[in-house]
Amino acid sequence: MLEIDKCAYTNALRNTNPMVKLIISFIALTLSVITNNVILHLLIMLIVSILIIFLAKVNIKLYIKCLKIPIYFLIIGTILNMINISLENQSFIFNIKVFNLYIGITLFSIESSLYILLRAISSVISIYFLILTTPFNQLIIILKKLHIPDTLVELMVLTYRFIFIFLEEIKDIYKSQELRFGYINLKNSYNSTALLIKILFFRMMRKYEDMSITLDMKLYDGKFHI
């Protein structure tokens, strides 16, 4: 998360008109969602990746690292989508019989799963173009220009702020536990993880109370002026 945010503020396209980047990302995402053309999906992935790596000069290792987690989940989902269950042994390329049920894969399930996988990956890459090249403050400006409700924008700002507070608190607690050999074996790891969650909850509640007090002191009237 911190690396992604840093990349958004340091990439070569950071000063480019954010509306242009939004339009490019939106067009690529729309084409990814509405089409079933394999070649088009591959072209979207290739073109957007070129824009991210060569035009925005995003570190290729960071880009691959960002793609790893969603792609892992997509591959698992695709494999599960290939599996069909039927009472009849028809059109299966491969199957096993469990009691009276046939469990296997068909040519149709492979084709449909491939389309879903390519569509999902090209959609993720399209979204990453906006995330990796556009600082958060520019996104807020875009949302304001698009007349997104202030309440939604304020929630996004608060969520964005608390993500970093959350990560910082986890890092501090984990480092403290690690120095005390809290993760030296499996049993200690379970106990330390449970304690981390407990401490994190109380710390986040305290941060929230501190923020509420600060807002009251500044005569907060229920609306952030962004």
Side-chain angles (χ1 to χ4, degrees):
M1 179 63 198
L2 296 174
E3 289 181 294
I4 292 174
D5 191 66
K6 182 180 178 181
C7 177
Y9 282 92
T10 58
N11 73 90
L13 294 179
R14 62 188 180 279
N15 295 321
T16 305
N17 189 332
M19 190 60 74
V20 173
K21 291 183 282 190
L22 176 65
I23 291 171
I24 292 173
S25 181
F26 179 77
I27 291 173
L29 179 61
T30 303
L31 290 174
S32 299
V33 172
I34 65 175
T35 61
N36 281 330
N37 191 307
V38 173
I39 296 176
L40 183 58
H41 286 149
L42 293 174
L43 281 174
I44 291 171
M45 287 187 275
L46 177 62
I47 293 171
V48 177
S49 295
I50 289 173
L51 292 176
I52 292 172
I53 297 170
F54 295 103
L55 196 60
K57 300 189 186 310
V58 172
N59 187 297
I60 189 169
K61 291 182 179 179
L62 173 61
Y63 181 53
I64 293 172
K65 184 179 178 181
C66 291
L67 289 176
K68 275 184 180 179
I69 295 176
I71 286 178
Y72 286 154
F73 281 103
L74 289 174
I75 290 174
I76 293 171
T78 301
I79 293 173
L80 293 175
N81 188 67
M82 287 184 185
I83 300 172
N84 287 275
I85 301 175
S86 176
L87 293 172
E88 299 179 357
N89 185 14
Q90 294 180 355
S91 69
F92 281 109
I93 298 175
F94 169 80
N95 69 84
I96 57 174
K97 187 175 182 180
V98 179
F99 300 110
N100 292 326
L101 296 176
Y102 292 94
I103 303 173
I105 58 175
T106 64
L107 182 61
F108 176 77
S109 68
I110 294 175
E111 291 177 352
S112 62
S113 297
L114 177 63
Y115 286 132
I116 292 171
L117 179 63
L118 291 176
R119 180 186 290 118
I121 294 176
S122 59
S123 298
V124 168
I125 290 175
S126 302
I127 295 171
Y128 267 132
F129 173 75
L130 184 65
I131 293 173
L132 293 172
T133 62
T134 311
F136 187 74
N137 60 337
Q138 292 184 7
L139 290 175
I140 296 300
I141 293 171
I142 292 174
L143 294 175
K144 298 289 282 186
K145 286 183 178 179
L146 295 175
H147 302 289
I148 302 298
D150 290 337
T151 302
L152 183 58
V153 176
E154 290 167 7
L155 284 172
M156 288 182 62
V157 172
L158 289 173
T159 303
Y160 179 77
R161 170 60 182 155
F162 267 92
I163 285 174
F164 290 96
I165 295 174
F166 184 81
L167 293 175
E168 185 178 348
E169 292 293 339
I170 289 178
K171 183 179 178 181
D172 290 343
I173 298 169
Y174 180 83
K175 187 179 293 184
S176 176
Q177 290 178 326
E178 196 172 32
L179 290 172
R180 293 179 173 85
F181 304 104
Y183 296 92
I184 196 170
N185 54 48
L186 188 60
K187 182 180 178 180
N188 284 359
S189 297
Y190 284 141
N191 293 333
S192 296
T193 302
L195 184 60
L196 185 149
I197 295 170
K198 179 182 177 181
I199 296 173
L200 182 64
F201 173 78
F202 286 110
R203 285 196 182 184
M204 294 305 293
M205 292 303 297
R206 188 169 68 247
K207 291 284 185 182
Y208 169 76
E209 291 173 359
D210 292 343
M211 186 187 72
S212 298
I213 293 171
T214 302
L215 290 174
D216 289 338
M217 291 175 65
K218 294 181 178 180
L219 303 178
Y220 174 61
D221 60 357
K223 183 176 181 180
F224 290 104
H225 298 282
I226 302 171

